[in-house]
Amino acid sequence: EIQMTQSPSSLSASVGDRVTITCQASQDIMHYLNWYQQKPGQAPKLLIYDASNLETGVPSRFSGSGSGSVFALTISSLQPDDIATYYCQQYDDLRALTFGGGTKVEI
Amino acid sequence: QLLESGGGWVQPGGSLRLSCAASGFSFSSFTLSWVRQAPGKGLEWVTGISPSGRTIYYLDAVQGRFTTSRDASRNTVYLQMDGLRVEDSALYMCVKDRIGDSVAASVFDHWGRGTLVSVSS
């Protein structure tokens, strides 16, 4: 099983700040990495797929980068609506998809 | 839309069958998965079933206890859960894959709101 480690587990930032969340895979997963946003009481929402592709309708302040085993999700200018928990997910091993532990973003 | 049902309370060792009724997309073209989330915890993929139903993968922890199936005539996917354990307690969400005609799940673009499973004595 591929282990996904996110850091930090939580962070507090101000409106307008640049925020970066990292995700490290236990092995090379090429670009097979997605990012999701989950707001309290809601189902997760796809933000980024294939490491760097912005899902339709997602604000351009979100971006993804990385390949191999280290990835990042960046919010260029944090907004109040971005308060949520963010998860990375690998699909290099299609028989055993795994998520990171999540990063809770607060203002 | 993905609408789950069938959750509830059950004693350890018991069984439940979850259903996920799908609408708004070509049911027979997409892999569907179940992802669970224990209260206050993170996301855990449980199982995925290919469009044809011929390819199914399971989380190791549920292999041999859970069975996934799909019925194209009803646009519904099922999760039969037997031998339930306390650690299976979670919100179970039905999830659609972004990519059509793929034999396995990869990118989850639509999520149901989930059905809650509680296992305790």
Side-chain angles (χ1 to χ4, degrees):
Chain A
E1 178 181 295
I2 299 173
Q3 305 292 329
M4 306 301 292
T5 303
Q6 283 183 238
S7 61
S9 57
S10 66
L11 67 88
S12 181
S14 300
V15 173
D17 281 355
R18 182 180 182 88
V19 170
T20 298
I21 299 167
T22 62
C23 179
Q24 182 161 358
S26 58
Q27 64 188 64
D28 186 339
I29 60 168
M30 291 185 281
H31 57 87
Y32 300 125
L33 189 285
N34 306 315
W35 289 97
Y36 301 88
Q37 174 195 63
Q38 186 178 32
K39 296 181 179 180
Q42 296 186 18
K45 171 188 173 182
L46 176 66
L47 296 177
I48 303 284
Y49 62 95
D50 287 351
S52 60
N53 293 288
L54 195 67
E55 174 69 339
T56 302
V58 174
S60 59
R61 63 180 179 273
F62 291 93
S63 64
S65 62
S67 65
S69 64
V70 181
F71 302 85
L73 173 71
T74 299
I75 307 172
S76 60
S77 178
L78 188 67
Q79 300 301 305
D81 189 50
D82 301 335
I83 299 311
T85 300
Y86 294 83
Y87 294 93
C88 61
Q89 173 243 323
Q90 67 78 22
Y91 62 101
D92 180 66
D93 183 356
L94 295 177
R95 301 164 303 171
L97 307 178
T98 48
F99 289 88
T103 296
K104 186 175 183 179
V105 174
E106 299 175 315
I107 291 183
Chain B
Q1 183 180 10
L2 299 165
L3 188 61
E4 304 92 337
S5 62
W9 173 80
V10 64
Q11 292 185 323
S15 298
L16 281 174
R17 187 174 89 150
L18 307 184
S19 299
C20 170
S23 61
F25 64 95
S26 177
F27 180 82
S28 297
S29 295
F30 292 90
T31 292
L32 293 169
S33 298
W34 291 93
V35 173
R36 68 185 180 184
Q37 186 169 35
K41 302 297 183 181
L43 303 171
E44 183 174 52
W45 171 84
V46 176
T47 179
I49 182 168
S50 65
S52 67
R54 286 194 290 267
T55 302
I56 303 173
Y57 296 122
Y58 296 97
L59 178 70
D60 283 349
V62 308
Q63 180 80 46
R65 299 188 297 121
F66 289 12
T67 303
T68 306
S69 61
R70 61 192 295 161
D71 184 343
S73 67
R74 298 176 183 270
N75 280 10
T76 299
V77 64
Y78 302 98
L79 181 62
Q80 176 67 42
M81 304 187 296
D82 298 319
L84 281 162
R85 303 169 180 169
V86 171
E87 56 265 33
D88 295 320
S89 297
L91 182 71
Y92 283 73
M93 293 175 279
C94 180
V95 191
K96 170 190 165 290
D97 212 72
R98 186 180 186 276
I99 301 170
D101 296 320
S102 173
V103 296
S106 57
V107 183
F108 304 130
D109 70 343
H110 283 89
W111 298 64
R113 296 188 65 84
T115 185
L116 189 61
V117 171
S118 181
V119 185
S120 69
S121 54

